[in-house]
Amino acid sequence: MLLKEIRAIAGEILVLSPHDQDAEHVNTSWFGAPPHERMGMSADEVVTAFEETAELLRDQVATMPYEGPATFYVWHDGEAGQLRCSTGSRGQDNLPFEAPYRATSDLHAIVVEFLEDRAPGALVWGEAAPVPSFPSSGEERPVWVCDLCP
């Protein structure tokens, strides 16, 4: 199911609007999977699905009347227990994150972190906040980036 949902992104309408960044929120997707589904999946399968999707998105951008940066990016949101991805009219160094991030070419490590999360979005007993899966404050969260412009 997760792999089909990832691949379905390429069939959705892509919005690139550098003058209205809020309009690009429609490009954001998030994926969860229960622990038993995660255990039955390999990181290579998930990475391949994202890479295939990125290639199809690159083809879409090439046919659009758009000139400028376009980036497809993927990260693990451990607080929500989800893999998330988006496409935006920004470069790798200007993604819309409030917390520090580090652009990486290592999608495999991000996917492994998601697949190995056996308690997605869980709370630690006695704590009011979700278990942080992002690096602690001051550290950068890894985000896989893929340039979609030719």
Side-chain angles (χ1 to χ4, degrees), residues 90 95-101 141:
R90 298 173 177 226
L95 300 178
F97 289 106
E98 292 178 15
Y101 71 94
R141 144 191 357 183

Side-chain angles (χ1 to χ4, degrees), residues 127-149:
E127 289 188 14
V131 176
S133 69
F134 300 140
S136 60
S137 62
E139 293 182 45
E140 298 173 331
R141 144 191 357 183
V143 177
W144 181 72
V145 294
C146 179
D147 184 10
L148 300 179
C149 292

Side-chain angles (χ1 to χ4, degrees), residues 17-38:
S17 180
H19 302 294
D20 183 7
Q21 297 285 305
D22 288 340
E24 294 181 353
H25 289 299
V26 299
N27 299 333
T28 303
S29 300
W30 47 95
F31 311 99
H36 68 276
E37 186 178 342
R38 293 170 192 233

